[in-house]
Structure formats: C-alpha cells, structure tokens
Amino acid sequence: MSSPRDGERPNYGNVSLTVKREEHGVASNFICDLKPGDEVQVTGPFGSTFLMPDDPEARLLMVCTGTGSAPMRAFTQRRARTVGNKSGGMTMFFGARSPEELPYFGPLKKLPESLLKTHMVFSRLPDQPKEYVQDRMMAEEESVAELLADPKTHIYICGLRGMEEGVEKALTNIAESIGTPWAALRDVMRNEGRYHVETY
C-alpha cells in the first residue's frame, strides 16, 4: 500500500495501488482482472510497528528496494501534507534493477530536497557495475553517520529480505566510524520506537 494513513486524498478513505501483471502472478493477476465496482476483502499489517512519527522535527532514514518503496511514498505524502517543508527531513535510499522499476516516484520527484533527499540505486544498468543500497549508503557515509548520531532519527527498512544483511553491514561500518557499536545503537533505537524493519 502506498497511500498515507488518512487516504490518498485526505479524509476520503481511499487508497492507491500500483500493480504490474506478472505471467504467473496470483495477487497481481487477481487485481488486474478486477472490474469497477467489484468488492474485495483487504487485510494486512496493522498496529504501530511501521508508522511514521508525528513529531515534525523527526528525521527519517528510509532504505527500501522494489515494492518496499510503497510505505516510503506514503510517509513522504503524509509528511508533505502535515508539516510541509518544516520537516526535520527525510533521506531515502531506493534500490531497483533499473529506472523502469520505479512504481511510485512520479510525484516524489517534484518534492524539494529540503523535504526528501533521494538516492536512486540501480543494479542492472547496461555497461554499469552493479550497485546496491548498502553501497550507496557507504558512499554517503558522512551524511548517514550524522543521521545515526541524531536522537531524532527514525530508521525504516522495507523490501526483499535479502537486502537486510547488506544494510546491516553498512550500518555497522558507519556506526563504528563515529565510535558507536551498531548493535547497541540499534537496540536503543528499537526500544525507543525509532528502528523499524519490514522485509519479506
């Protein structure tokens, strides 16, 4: 789901999906075959484990791959809607195979960098070396370290489970560069509700 918690349009209770038909896809083909007016049952993650903080000064470090970008789009829309450019700032590292796999980024490209700083990382560009989100995080080590050192920073990681190990290694190296053991910092952030992981 890529819509903010108060709906794609505020207070209308509607949501937005981006679906690509897959040859052997179950959910994608079911959704693509729906007709206007069809009723569907919706269920999914709920609770308070992957919600954006209401504090307008909170800083968000978002790391995602593929469809893991959906909640980041929702966060960005909500932040733009609720606090505008007064935001503490959001930084997103998004990984995909190619620019054609950017399902949610049209509106996000129009946002000022003061609200959202985006690092697009592609692993399958012709005649280019493979780059993954953890590689770009290491290339941006100084800015990521500054976020890790700030007690107002919240981290969100969403996407394929395979990304988790590389991202953890990058965070470990970056935290150590500022003299902080990542495991201890991660535990503090988790206890304070500032570290969130949804991988699948």
Side-chain angles (χ1 to χ4, degrees), residues 30-44:
F30 170 79
I31 293 171
C32 287
D33 291 336
L34 289 172
K35 294 173 182 53
D38 285 352
E39 289 189 15
V40 295
Q41 289 186 322
V42 179
T43 186

Side-chain angles (χ1 to χ4, degrees), residues 3-68:
S3 296
R5 68 178 90 158
D6 56 348
E8 191 67 15
R9 292 171 59 202
N11 305 313
Y12 276 79
N14 57 350
V15 295
S16 175
L17 299 173
T18 299
V19 181
K20 181 174 81 172
R21 186 180 291 279
E22 295 288 344
E23 185 178 348
H24 301 292
V26 177
S28 61
N29 287 325
F30 170 79
I31 293 171
C32 287
D33 291 336
L34 289 172
K35 294 173 182 53
D38 285 352
E39 289 189 15
V40 295
Q41 289 186 322
V42 179
T43 186
F46 58 91
S48 59
T49 59
F50 214 79
L51 295 177
M52 189 181 72
D54 288 324
D55 178 5
E57 295 182 5
R59 302 174 74 191
L60 276 57
L61 172 58
M62 304 177 290
V63 183
C64 55
T65 58
T67 56

